[in-house]
Amino acid sequence: MSEHPDAALIRRGYEAFGKGDMETLGSLMTADVIHHVPGSNPLSGHHKGREAVLDLYRRFGTETNGTLQVDLHTVLVDGRGHCMTFHTARGDRGDHGIEIQEGLFFTIVGGKISDIDQCTQDIDEEDRFWG
């Protein structure tokens, strides 16, 4: 069974994120992409535009001294430009560590990611970690 193109796009994004390949990640997004981060911490909010989203991803790396790892579990598509993923995020920040289940809801337009809604297993834990 062949993989749906939207699922393949998202898998390429996860792979690029894992390698810190911002050039590839940027090529998978529309110029006006938005990544919505839940919670009440310094990374929370609506990161609008490709460079702002890539800066967010760079900050994930710098804030965790490169320890953030994301292990993709599942990719689901609806065939109408939406994709959901579920993953485990692990990392260390100072003397804090985190291992948490997260999900992303993607909107895909013209073969590129235009919107990312992030969900988490525990908003309070995420706020403590990133705060």
Side-chain angles (χ1 to χ4, degrees):
M1 179 164 72
S2 66
E3 185 169 53
H4 190 277
D6 291 346
L9 171 75
I10 298 307
R11 287 185 192 282
R12 281 195 311 276
Y14 268 83
E15 182 179 332
F17 181 88
K19 294 177 180 177
D21 182 354
M22 296 299 141
E23 184 176 336
T24 297
L25 268 175
S27 75
L28 303 177
M29 300 173 186
T30 61
D32 61 348
V33 65
I34 302 173
H35 187 133
H36 310 274
V37 178
S40 298
N41 65 70
L43 301 180
S44 297
H46 309 288
H47 302 268
K48 300 176 184 178
R50 183 182 298 127
E51 283 311 309
V53 172
L54 294 176
D55 285 346
L56 170 68
Y57 299 163
R58 288 181 192 100
R59 192 159 175 205
F60 287 156
T62 58
E63 292 283 332
T64 63
N65 288 322
T67 65
L68 185 66
Q69 296 178 343
V70 176
D71 298 319
L72 180 62
H73 302 298
T74 306
V75 179
L76 306 174
V77 298
D78 70 356
R80 296 176 292 123
H82 300 106
C83 185
M84 293 177 10
T85 62
F86 300 93
H87 63 256
T88 301
R90 294 178 188 86
D92 296 305
R93 187 169 178 263
D95 61 352
H96 297 37
I98 196 167
E99 181 172 330
I100 197 161
Q101 303 301 308
E102 296 177 327
L104 298 175
F105 181 82
F106 296 89
T107 302
I108 300 165
V109 176
K112 293 194 181 256
I113 300 164
S114 67
D115 196 83
I116 307 163
D117 279 299
Q118 182 174 327
C119 297
T120 182
Q121 173 185 27
D122 188 335
I123 290 175
D124 293 335
E125 181 62 22
E126 292 253 1
D127 283 347
R128 277 190 290 279
F129 182 75
W130 296 111

